[in-house]
């Protein structure tokens, strides 16, 4: 499911980016809205204070407006208030928040701030930000006549600090929402990826089984989408491949079986000719007939091998298991192969001692050992050696047939136990050899029929070792008859 993991990561990342960007925009919007509400609140507050001053025009104007200036000072956030004052229509200060401290020095002095003077001259409510100052102004009218302007000055930095806790709360809330949304998005992406790609993983597993020749596997067909249709067609393809494989095996079995009778007849006639039944032969005739007979014997061996593979794969070969002395069987096979080893100039020996009896079919074990030792001799140069080792393990015995031959490329090891598989890089490199590519297939079928496993290790130009395992003998199996 590596593809599902990648897809989940990509989808999760995209969802996180989209969600984070959306929440960031939302945070900026909330921040701007908080700033707007703050400004609107100040405007409303200043407008109400200014209206009270306007309503008090006359002898009570100064006392009432001073009370409102006091209200501005008292209701402001600590540290945010700078000053408040009322100027007349000639821009002279009538009242100032300093008056609350009995400081009358600014009374009647002209207003010096140019930007505030411009705002006042508009005769409309205004709001000015300059540096750290935030100025609010509200004109005062008595009827249609402008009698002055109410002005409040605040420290913008302190006001922003007073609002920062609201912004932090908004940020924390949005960050938590982003985290929860991201986790949910990743979970959703992972679920969606698994749902979409799990059929592909199942198809890949079944494809590996089919590639190994197991045509009885099928994938689930429960989905009603394109992947479900693909699963149906994939299963139909497996069925067709299984039918073709059965036809091929049936054809090979029938053809090899039908070839045996005429081939044995030819061998019989050749044997009769070579024995002189039809009269004496010239040396050239005898040489040619021996060559034909030798090739006929090789062809007969190939036919017998193919028939044996067909019987093993069809399950028509029954193992007759009994308690077996494995070391004795190994020595017997090596003694049988001694003449060929001497002909090739290769030493063979056994390294096994103190082995317990195992439960196996002795004829099958001899066939496996014969095939493996014969292969090792084919690819071991003169002066090399073939060693058969056997050692006990907790679950049984491990047998290894190792040689000092030319070895096998590592990328070819996986093909050794497939039918008709040969290694072209090493074929006939040491000496000319006949082979069908079925010997190791027979070994694999026989070893696995015993409940064991077989595998190969090799290093090019240094040698090859074929290992297989056999289980220990259970106590209920009787010893082999003498």
């Amino acid at each position: 499911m590596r593809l599902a993991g990648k897809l989940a990561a990509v989808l999760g990342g995209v969802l996180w980016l989209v969600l984070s960007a959306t929440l960031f925009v939302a945070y900026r919007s909330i921040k701007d809205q908080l700033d707007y509400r703050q400004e609107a609140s100040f405007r409303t507050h200043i407008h109400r204070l200014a209206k009270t001053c306007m309503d008090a025009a006359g002898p009570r104007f100064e006392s009432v407006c001073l009370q409102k200036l006091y209200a501005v000072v008292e209701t402001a956030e600590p540290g945010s208030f700078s000053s408040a004052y009322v100027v007349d229509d000639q821009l002279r200060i009538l009242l100032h928040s300093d008056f609350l401290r009995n400081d009358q020095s600014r009374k009647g002095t002209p207003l010096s701030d140019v930007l505030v003077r411009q705002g006042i001259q508009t005769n409309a409510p205004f709001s000015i930000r300059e540096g750290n100052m935030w100025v609010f102004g509200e004109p005062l009218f008595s009827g249609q006549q402008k009698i002055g302007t109410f002005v409040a000055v605040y420290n913008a930095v302190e006001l922003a600090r007073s609002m920062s806790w609201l912004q932090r709360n908004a940020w924390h809330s949005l960050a938590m929402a982003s985290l929860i949304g991201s986790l949910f998005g990743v979970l959703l992406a992972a679920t969606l990826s698994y749902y979409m790609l799990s059929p592909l993983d199942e198809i890949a597993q079944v494809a590996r089984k089919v590639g190994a020749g197991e045509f009885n596997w099928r994938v689930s067909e429960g989905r009603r989408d394109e992947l479900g249709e693909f699963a149906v067609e994939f299963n139909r393809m497996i069925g067709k491949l299984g039918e073709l494989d059965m036809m091929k095996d049936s054809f090979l079995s029938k053809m090899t079986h039908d070839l045996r009778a005429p081939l044995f007849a030819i061998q019989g006639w050749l044997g009769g000719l070579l024995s002189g039944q039809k009269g004496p032969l010239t040396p050239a005739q005898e040489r040619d007939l021996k060559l034909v007979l030798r090739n006929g014997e090789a062809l007969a061996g190939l036919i017998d091998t193919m028939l044996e593979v067909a019987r093993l794969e069809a399950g028509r070969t029954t193992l007759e298991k009994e308690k077996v002395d494995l070391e004795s069987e190994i020595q017997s096979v090596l003694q049988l192969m001694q003449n060929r080893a001497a002909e090739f100039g290769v030493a063979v020996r056994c390294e096994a001692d103190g082995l317990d009896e195992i439960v196996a079919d002795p004829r099958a074990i001899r066939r496996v050992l014969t095939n493996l030792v014969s292969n090792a001799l084919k690819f071991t140069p003169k002066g090399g050696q073939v060693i058969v080792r056997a050692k006990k393990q907790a679950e049984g015995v491990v047998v290894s047939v190792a040689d000092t031959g030319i070895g096998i490329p590592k990328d070819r090891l996986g093909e050794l136990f497939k039918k008709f598989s040969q290694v072209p890089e090493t074929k006939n490199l040491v000496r000319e050899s006949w082979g069908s590519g079925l010997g190791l297939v027979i070994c694999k079928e026989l070893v696995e029929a015993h409940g064991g496993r077989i595998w190969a290790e090799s290093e090019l130009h240094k040698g090859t070792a074929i290992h297989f395992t056999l289980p220990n003998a259970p106590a209920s199996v009787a010893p082999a008859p003498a």
Side-chain angles (χ1 to χ4, degrees):
M1 296 297 290
R2 293 185 298 273
L3 182 59
K6 292 179 181 178
L7 182 59
V10 171
L11 289 178
V14 171
L15 287 173
W16 179 82
L17 288 175
V18 172
L19 186 60
S20 298
T22 303
L23 293 176
F24 178 75
V25 172
Y27 168 73
R28 293 303 300 268
S29 175
I30 292 174
K31 183 177 181 298
D32 293 342
Q33 189 175 15
L34 288 174
D35 292 340
Y36 172 78
R37 287 183 177 180
Q38 184 185 45
E39 182 174 355
S41 175
F42 276 109
R43 284 181 179 275
T44 302
H45 184 59
I46 299 301
H47 174 73
R48 289 174 180 172
L49 296 177
K51 188 176 184 304
T52 306
C53 286
M54 286 188 293
D55 293 342
R60 299 179 59 249
F61 177 79
E62 183 170 336
S63 61
V64 172
C65 284
L66 276 177
Q67 291 178 2
K68 299 312 170 187
L69 292 181
Y70 179 76
V72 173
V73 175
E74 288 297 310
T75 57
E77 293 287 341
S80 65
F81 176 76
S82 179
S83 61
Y85 48 88
V86 177
V87 297
D88 60 17
D89 55 349
Q90 277 78 39
L91 303 179
R92 292 173 299 185
I93 296 177
L94 298 177
L95 298 172
H96 199 283
S97 55
D98 289 347
F99 290 5
L100 299 174
R101 299 192 298 271
N102 295 321
D103 182 0
Q104 302 284 328
S105 60
R106 298 195 184 196
K107 189 169 185 178
T109 59
L111 185 63
S112 60
D113 193 307
V114 176
L115 286 176
V116 178
R117 289 171 65 92
Q118 293 175 355
I120 293 174
Q121 289 171 353
T122 62
N123 294 328
F126 63 90
S127 173
I128 301 172
R129 286 195 185 189
E130 181 186 10
N132 292 336
M133 294 295 103
W134 195 355
V135 183
F136 293 89
E138 180 77 20
L140 304 175
F141 289 91
S142 177
Q144 297 296 324
Q145 183 182 1
K146 182 179 179 182
I147 60 175
T149 304
F150 194 101
V151 180
V153 183
Y154 294 91
N155 187 322
V157 175
E158 292 299 326
L159 287 177
R161 186 176 293 118
S162 69
M163 293 293 292
S164 62
W165 71 273
L166 289 174
Q167 297 172 2
R168 283 196 301 272
N169 285 344
W171 175 254
H172 290 160
S173 299
L174 291 176
M176 184 60 67
S178 175
L179 178 60
I180 295 174
S182 298
L183 292 176
F184 177 75
V186 170
L187 180 62
L188 178 63
T191 303
L192 182 62
S193 300
Y194 178 80
Y195 174 75
M196 294 298 296
L197 298 179
S198 57
L200 297 182
D201 184 59
E202 183 185 7
I203 289 171
Q205 294 180 17
V206 173
R208 284 192 289 270
K209 297 290 187 181
V210 172
E214 302 177 24
F215 298 100
N216 58 328
W217 289 84
R218 296 293 185 273
V219 298
S220 304
E221 300 180 359
R223 297 172 64 116
R224 297 185 178 275
D225 52 14
E226 288 81 356
L227 287 174
E229 294 175 3
F230 177 72
V232 171
E233 296 301 324
F234 188 76
N235 287 338
R236 185 176 291 117
M237 179 192 68
I238 295 174
K240 292 294 184 182
L241 289 174
E243 291 175 7
L244 291 174
D245 188 68
M246 291 177 62
M247 290 173 60
K248 179 259 297 179
D249 289 342
S250 176
F251 174 77
L252 287 176
S253 178
K254 181 175 178 55
M255 289 301 297
T256 51
H257 185 274
D258 291 345
L259 284 172
R260 292 183 72 187
L263 182 60
F264 288 161
I266 292 172
Q267 287 179 295
W269 279 102
L270 289 173
L273 292 174
L274 287 170
S275 65
Q277 293 179 4
K278 301 298 182 179
L281 301 173
T282 64
Q285 290 173 332
E286 185 176 356
R287 183 180 65 251
D288 293 341
L289 287 175
K290 286 182 177 179
L291 178 61
V292 174
L293 181 60
R294 186 162 61 251
N295 282 274
E297 291 172 347
L299 182 57
L302 174 60
I303 291 173
D304 287 340
T305 299
M306 293 175 67
L307 283 173
E308 184 174 4
V309 170
R311 285 195 298 269
L312 287 169
E313 290 184 339
R316 294 197 299 268
T317 298
T318 302
L319 297 179
E320 298 180 3
K321 294 184 179 182
E322 56 190 47
K323 285 190 175 181
V324 176
D325 183 350
L326 183 59
E327 184 176 355
S328 175
E329 295 294 341
I330 295 173
Q331 295 287 3
S332 175
V333 170
L334 292 183
Q335 185 177 4
L336 180 66
M337 304 296 294
Q338 190 65 48
N339 289 340
R340 182 180 295 182
E343 177 185 349
F344 294 160
V346 177
V348 293
R349 73 173 191 270
C350 172
E351 293 181 1
D353 187 25
L355 294 177
D356 296 330
E357 289 183 327
I358 63 169
V359 172
D361 184 327
R363 288 165 294 279
I365 296 304
R366 283 195 292 271
R367 180 63 188 274
V368 172
L369 289 170
T370 301
N371 282 359
L372 295 182
V373 174
S374 176
N375 275 355
L377 289 174
K378 289 179 186 178
F379 299 102
T380 302
K382 185 177 181 180
Q385 59 180 345
V386 174
I387 306 171
V388 181
R389 298 184 177 92
K391 60 180 180 180
K392 294 187 296 183
Q393 288 189 345
E395 65 277 8
V397 179
V398 177
V399 182
S400 303
V401 178
D403 61 58
T404 58
I406 55 178
I408 302 169
K410 291 191 179 298
D411 59 340
R412 296 286 187 178
L413 289 177
E415 304 175 6
L416 288 181
F417 299 98
K418 296 180 180 179
K419 286 186 289 187
F420 307 109
S421 174
Q422 294 183 329
V423 183
E425 293 90 341
T426 60
K427 187 176 182 181
N428 299 327
L429 194 61
V430 176
R431 59 182 60 88
E432 186 176 1
S433 59
W434 293 85
S436 60
L438 294 172
L440 290 178
V441 176
I442 293 175
C443 293
K444 180 175 182 293
E445 293 287 344
L446 292 174
V447 169
E448 291 181 351
H450 282 82
R453 64 186 185 94
I454 187 168
W455 70 98
E457 296 176 351
S458 184
E459 188 172 352
L460 198 60
H461 307 306
K462 290 189 176 181
T464 302
I466 306 293
H467 313 279
F468 66 92
T469 61
L470 294 170
N472 285 323
S476 59
V477 177

